Amino acid sequence: MRLEEKLYTLRYKKDEESHLSINDVDKCIECEKENGNPMPCISICPANVYSWEDNKIVIGYENCVECGACRIACPYENIHWEYPKFGKGIALRYG
Ligand code: SF4
Ligand code: SF4
């Protein structure tokens, strides 16, 4: 099964507030200079949550599949990550 097909098996209930945030946006600029684009958070995220636009990181948190990989991959420990509020976020469609 392709990744896109697997992602289709998830159901999303959007939280009004992001459960992901960046601690220090200046660190991302440093990270981009050091690692180039794509930076680690962009490379590792299976759901394309992160993008780099106008010299800053943009987070499309609504698509997050809650795997936690970005928090581990960020070399600056610069991602504040929490589970979405109870009842929000992802649910499995078949299980
Ligand atoms: S990997 Fe971390 S520091 Fe680098 S751009 Fe992503 S959030 Fe910012
Ligand atoms: S937790 Fe997983 S899906 Fe969510 S933003 Fe991080 S890497 Fe992407």
Side-chain angles (χ1 to χ4, degrees):
M1 197 187 261
R2 289 183 306 128
L3 178 63
E4 292 75 17
E5 291 169 326
K6 285 184 182 167
L7 290 174
Y8 183 70
T9 65
L10 300 173
R11 198 176 294 182
Y12 298 85
K13 206 168 194 186
K14 186 182 162 189
D15 199 347
E16 303 75 40
E17 283 174 42
S18 176
H19 62 290
L20 302 166
S21 61
I22 300 295
N23 295 326
D24 179 354
V25 289
D26 290 338
K27 287 275 180 214
C28 295
I29 294 171
E30 211 176 300
C31 181
E32 195 267 342
K33 283 190 186 128
E34 260 181 36
N35 300 291
N37 187 0
M39 291 81 93
C41 60
I42 297 173
S43 298
I44 205 156
C45 178
N48 295 324
V49 166
Y50 297 95
S51 58
W52 187 245
E53 293 170 32
D54 297 328
N55 226 27
K56 66 173 188 231
I57 202 82
V58 176
I59 306 177
Y61 71 93
E62 303 91 339
N63 296 331
C64 175
V65 298
E66 300 166 28
C67 69
C70 56
R71 188 177 49 173
I72 295 164
C74 175
Y76 295 95
E77 299 182 0
N78 200 21
I79 297 172
H80 180 77
W81 196 102
E82 294 173 346
Y83 280 108
K85 285 199 259 340
F86 182 75
K88 306 283 181 170
I90 59 161
L92 300 175
R93 219 185 276 245
Y94 305 112

